[in-house]
Amino acid sequence: FRLSFMGEMKKSQARGIWVEGERRIFVFREISRYGSKPWTIGAHFGPEIARGDVVRLLLSAAAGLGVLCVAILCAIWLARTTTRPVRRLADAAGQVREGHLDGLAPLQSTRLRELNEATTSFNSMVEGLRERDLIRGLFGTYVPEAVATAIVEEHGTLAPQSAHATVLFSDLAGFTTMSERLQPQEIVDVLNGYFSTVVEIIERHGGVITQFQGDAVLAIFNVPVADANHAENAVRAAIEIHRAIKGRAFAGQILSCRVGINTGDVVAGSVGAGGRLSYTVHGDAVNLAARLEQLNKEYGTGTLVSGATAERVSTIGLRRIGEVEIRGKTEKVSLFAVE
């Protein structure tokens, strides 16, 4: 500090002295230009001069410590406010990745705008996934599940597809006579029980059922889902169908069926009018499978397989029956029965 009568402090000196039992600081300066002897001029100060500064320093330190504590508490609160919804979002995303949508509760909104927007978008996404699964499930009730999945993935369109595939055509034996003596509800119960068994077996072997024609079933292997062993899988499905229904009562009725299997070129696609479409397969290979099913009556067999299918089957015993002329075919068709 400066004293007006002492000039710059850099030319002054300081000493600690005792005045009336109190420690004080004496600041002085010698002036020699105003007489023969130098003058010593100064002033002494007690602790009260520093007390205010010390108090202000302590108050500043306390205020700084208080601000630091508040900042730490705010940081902890902000961290918890931020990490909890982020953790919940990450856990929910993990459940979605695992496909657990049914038990996933909507995420609650947060106070942070960005996280709240992310939470809202995530909830909307989950609802969209649930609706897609619901549509696929309902759609799969009326069309094969593989076809429903393909249509959903193709955004509602399924282009016609030409492929080399195996066709399985199955029909109940004596169903017309049975229908004449059964009530309508009894007929429905018989068919539902039979179809449930047949569908489960065919789909387990990679086949896709495209049509229920009265008591008949039309199934295709290798379309729309590729299957390198489509011929053998179709024959194995036929064998298991016979085993599953043999001696078993469906709604009180004992059933038997005939199966025709053929391999050839088919065209698969959605056919219909306007907004009512049906996924099915067309081609001479399909017609031949249906004709083979009917020929079981003449040969007393349960399953007839064409030569085109038999040449692709190596692990299942097939018995050659011979060749037969099929109406509409220029060449005879080789027939095989399952051993």
Side-chain angles (χ1 to χ4, degrees):
F1 54 87
R2 295 180 60 185
L3 299 176
S4 60
F5 59 87
M6 293 182 63
E8 298 292 336
M9 281 294 297
K10 63 183 180 179
K11 298 179 180 180
S12 302
Q13 302 179 45
R15 296 286 189 275
I17 62 175
W18 290 90
V19 178
E20 297 180 356
E22 183 181 33
R23 181 72 172 179
R24 302 183 72 82
I25 298 176
F26 179 61
V27 180
F28 63 94
R29 179 181 178 184
E30 291 187 351
I31 301 175
S32 59
R33 57 186 177 182
Y34 296 105
S36 58
K37 294 182 179 181
W39 293 18
T40 301
I41 301 176
H44 60 86
F45 307 93
E48 66 277 359
I49 193 173
R51 187 175 293 117
D53 293 335
V54 172
V55 171
R56 286 191 294 271
L57 180 61
L58 292 176
L59 290 176
S60 299
L65 182 60
V67 171
L68 179 61
C69 292
V70 172
I72 293 175
L73 292 176
C74 290
I76 294 174
W77 174 83
L78 182 61
R80 291 182 177 179
T81 303
T82 304
T83 56
R84 286 178 180 174
V86 170
R87 189 178 297 112
R88 288 196 296 265
L89 182 61
D91 293 341
Q95 295 186 48
V96 171
R97 183 176 62 252
E98 298 296 330
H100 303 151
L101 297 177
D102 294 337
L104 185 61
L107 297 178
Q108 300 297 321
S109 59
T110 66
R111 299 179 181 178
L112 301 177
R113 185 181 65 181
E114 291 77 6
L115 283 177
N116 194 48
E117 292 177 353
T119 298
T120 302
S121 299
F122 182 83
N123 289 336
S124 299
M125 179 195 71
V126 172
E127 284 301 315
L129 291 174
R130 284 174 176 162
E131 290 179 1
R132 187 190 67 176
D133 288 348
L134 176 61
I135 292 173
R136 179 179 296 176
L138 294 174
F139 195 29
T141 304
Y142 298 94
V143 298
E145 182 177 354
V147 177
T149 301
I151 292 176
V152 171
E153 291 177 352
E154 295 296 328
H155 306 287
T157 61
L158 194 59
Q161 181 181 6
S162 178
H164 197 71
T166 298
V167 181
L168 182 151
F169 192 89
S170 174
D171 196 7
L172 285 175
F175 184 75
T176 302
T177 303
M178 182 189 305
S179 300
E180 293 177 352
R181 57 183 175 83
L182 295 179
Q183 297 297 319
Q185 186 60 51
E186 292 177 316
I187 297 174
V188 172
D189 292 340
V190 170
L191 289 178
N192 285 341
Y194 168 70
F195 286 151
S196 297
T197 301
V198 172
V199 168
E200 190 275 330
I201 294 173
I202 290 177
E203 290 185 346
R204 180 153 40 83
H205 286 83
V208 174
I209 295 178
T210 62
Q211 288 184 26
F212 293 104
Q213 302 173 358
D215 59 315
V217 175
L218 175 62
I220 187 76
F221 294 76
N222 201 36
V223 176
V225 181
D227 180 6
N229 298 318
H230 53 91
E232 286 202 8
N233 286 332
V235 176
R236 292 187 184 279
I239 295 173
E240 190 168 342
I241 288 172
H242 285 294
R243 289 175 179 173
I245 68 174
K246 183 178 181 180
R248 177 181 171 185
F250 294 86
Q253 304 299 317
I254 302 298
L255 305 179
S256 64
C257 68
R258 299 181 298 266
V259 180
I261 300 176
N262 179 47
T263 300
D265 295 328
V266 300
V267 175
S270 299
V271 177
R276 300 179 63 86
L277 300 175
S278 175
Y279 182 84
T280 188
V281 289
H282 303 273
D284 184 62
V286 179
N287 299 332
L288 181 55
R291 296 297 301 276
L292 295 181
E293 180 273 320
Q294 290 293 320
L295 286 176
N296 282 289
K297 298 178 183 179
E298 300 181 16
Y299 292 95
T301 54
T303 299
L304 283 179
V305 178
S306 70
T309 300
E311 66 184 15
R312 291 170 174 80
V313 176
S314 59
T315 62
I316 303 173
L318 298 177
R319 173 172 53 89
R320 180 180 174 85
I321 294 179
E323 294 184 343
V324 62
E325 292 184 356
I326 301 294
R327 186 177 58 187
K329 302 285 292 184
T330 58
E331 298 180 356
K332 291 184 177 182
V333 176
S334 300
L335 296 182
F336 292 80
V338 179
E339 291 287 359

